[in-house]
Amino acid sequence: MRDREPGLVTTWAARGWVEEEGIGSATLRRLVQTWPRRAAVTNKAELLEETADYDALVPDYPLEIVPFAEHPLFRAAAPEQRQRVLTGMWIGYNERVIATEQLIAEPAFDLVMHGVFAGSDDPRIRKSVQQAVVDESFHTYMHMLAIDRTRELRRIHERPAQPELITYRRLRQVLAGMPERWERDVAVLVWGAVAETCINALLALLARDATIQPLHSLITTLHLRDETAHGSIVVEVVKELYARMNPEQRRTLVRCLPLALAAFAEQDLATLRMELDAAGIRGTEEILGDLRATTGGSRLVRDFSGAHKMIEQLGVTGEVDFDFPERPDWSPHAGTHH
């Protein structure tokens, strides 16, 4: 390991496990050094200003990942209604990505940058997290651009308000039961860490799709590249912070992990109802009722490889009660050891 720094050892006394910190340090240092070359905000921003090929007949969202795509009532709807649902799904997707960045990821990063956790003053941690914060702001800009352009091209002048982000609702419910500030800080950190290790799965589904508008695929591809690095950063940062937590903080972190994973896995049927109703699809409640009864119909995220890696790295796999599904072939983590 040529990047290893001598003399840096972190002891996880509570587990009797010693890690040579050079591994994590080398990863963070490499990510910090390569940021100017790899980050979308530093070298790909001009691509968003180019006029991508636009064809009104090309859908905005992949039909194959719409959970009710094969339902008879949806298939019986007029083509323009189905297209409007796909456009709404794309706009809603972007709205939820923005909400995830602003309500889940950025607050967790802010806690680290404000030195709330022991060890967060390490220069490598501060640099890598600050770079991620810059990335997240640019991602919000990209997805705002996607919403504005789609609404303009599709002539969508009015749109119903999105329900509050379901993962944020679940976080608020957990926070409401935590009387201590330090508990709430740990919960926010966990939700942010899970967000940054799970969002790849949602991005990859669109980034790999050749059937949708080219600009949509471009935006999700650029975001996915950044989030691949963020996932590695989060794993290393959480490892460093966890190593310095007291036993109560560690227990709270482990207790929050399955709650956060379940929150990110949950499909919000209210958002689907909104899109179906906005498009004038008949039989919305029947469609949603059938979806609710379908195995896996209530699960949004299907790939938890990044989060699973983080849990393995923390050495708490046996303590996290969550049913991890098999990693799909399209996973951005395919080809890596699980």
Side-chain angles (χ1 to χ4, degrees):
M1 293 282 226
R2 290 181 297 176
D3 287 331
R4 179 174 297 163
E5 292 186 6
L8 290 176
V9 177
T10 297
T11 304
W12 294 15
R15 297 185 179 279
W17 184 63
V18 177
E19 178 195 25
E20 293 181 345
E21 193 183 81
I23 298 173
S25 297
T27 299
L28 286 181
R29 185 166 55 251
R30 174 178 55 80
L31 291 167
V32 167
Q33 290 174 344
T34 59
W35 182 72
R37 299 192 300 276
R38 62 172 169 76
V41 68
T42 62
N43 62 21
K44 294 291 190 298
E46 72 283 354
L47 294 178
L48 301 180
E49 301 305 322
E50 296 179 3
T51 303
D53 293 335
Y54 175 74
D55 183 342
L57 298 180
V58 174
D60 292 302
Y61 194 80
L63 182 63
E64 67 175 25
I65 65 173
V66 174
F68 48 76
E70 297 302 317
H71 195 283
L73 290 176
F74 179 71
R75 297 183 67 177
E80 59 270 18
Q81 289 179 304
R82 295 198 300 272
Q83 184 194 63
R84 185 172 178 184
V85 168
L86 293 181
T87 298
M89 295 283 284
W90 165 245
I91 294 175
Y93 169 86
N94 285 278
E95 291 170 338
R96 290 189 296 279
V97 168
I98 292 172
T100 301
E101 300 282 24
Q102 295 178 339
L103 299 175
I104 306 293
E106 291 177 13
F109 286 141
D110 285 346
L111 289 177
V112 177
M113 293 306 298
H114 284 91
V116 169
F117 302 102
S120 56
D121 58 347
D122 183 292
R124 280 178 296 268
I125 289 178
R126 290 181 61 80
K127 287 180 182 178
S128 62
V129 170
Q130 188 60 57
Q131 288 173 352
V133 170
V134 173
D135 288 342
E136 302 299 6
S137 293
F138 185 63
H139 298 159
T140 294
Y141 170 74
M142 288 197 302
H143 291 282
M144 286 176 60
L145 190 66
I147 292 170
D148 292 345
R149 287 188 177 177
T150 301
R151 291 188 63 163
E152 179 183 358
L153 292 168
R154 297 295 188 185
R155 295 181 174 85
I156 298 175
H157 305 296
E158 294 184 4
R159 178 166 166 78
Q162 277 274 345
E164 185 178 44
L165 187 71
I166 193 165
T167 49
Y168 185 59
R169 297 206 307 267
R170 298 293 178 254
L171 173 58
R172 288 197 298 104
Q173 290 168 359
V174 169
L175 295 179
M178 292 179 161
E180 300 293 337
R181 175 64 180 268
W182 66 264
E183 290 180 288
R184 298 193 294 272
D185 289 342
V186 171
V188 170
L189 177 68
V190 170
W191 248 256
V194 171
E196 290 297 286
T197 54
C198 286
I199 196 170
N200 277 6
L202 295 176
L203 292 166
L205 282 170
L206 274 72
R208 73 186 183 95
D209 198 288
T211 68
I212 60 176
Q213 296 287 345
L215 179 63
H216 304 354
S217 181
L218 171 63
I219 285 174
T220 50
T221 297
L222 294 178
H223 193 164
L224 175 61
R225 290 173 184 171
D226 282 348
E227 292 299 343
T228 299
H230 290 188
S232 298
I233 288 169
V234 164
V235 170
E236 299 301 333
V237 168
V238 172
K239 279 169 55 181
E240 294 295 328
L241 300 183
Y242 184 82
R244 294 164 175 80
M245 287 182 178
N246 62 41
E248 284 186 304
Q249 288 175 309
R250 291 186 180 186
R251 282 194 293 270
T252 299
L253 184 145
V254 171
R255 178 167 60 88
C256 285
L257 277 167
L259 301 177
L261 288 164
F264 278 89
E266 190 172 350
Q267 174 83 263
D268 189 356
L269 297 182
T271 64
L272 302 182
R273 178 182 291 107
M274 185 190 79
E275 304 300 353
L276 289 166
D277 287 344
I281 304 293
R282 296 179 57 185
T284 294
E285 291 308 318
E286 182 177 340
I287 292 173
L288 295 179
D290 291 342
L291 180 63
R292 194 180 291 112
T294 303
T295 303
S298 61
R299 174 163 280 191
L300 175 64
V301 177
R302 306 296 177 89
D303 177 29
F304 293 88
S305 304
H308 194 270
K309 175 185 176 183
M310 178 176 66
I311 290 167
E312 285 182 329
Q313 292 285 310
L314 292 176
V316 296
T317 303
E319 301 173 48
V320 177
D321 184 16
F322 185 75
D323 183 18
F324 288 97
E326 289 293 321
R327 181 171 55 203
D329 294 338
W330 51 261
S331 168
H333 298 277
T336 61
H337 177 66
H338 191 51

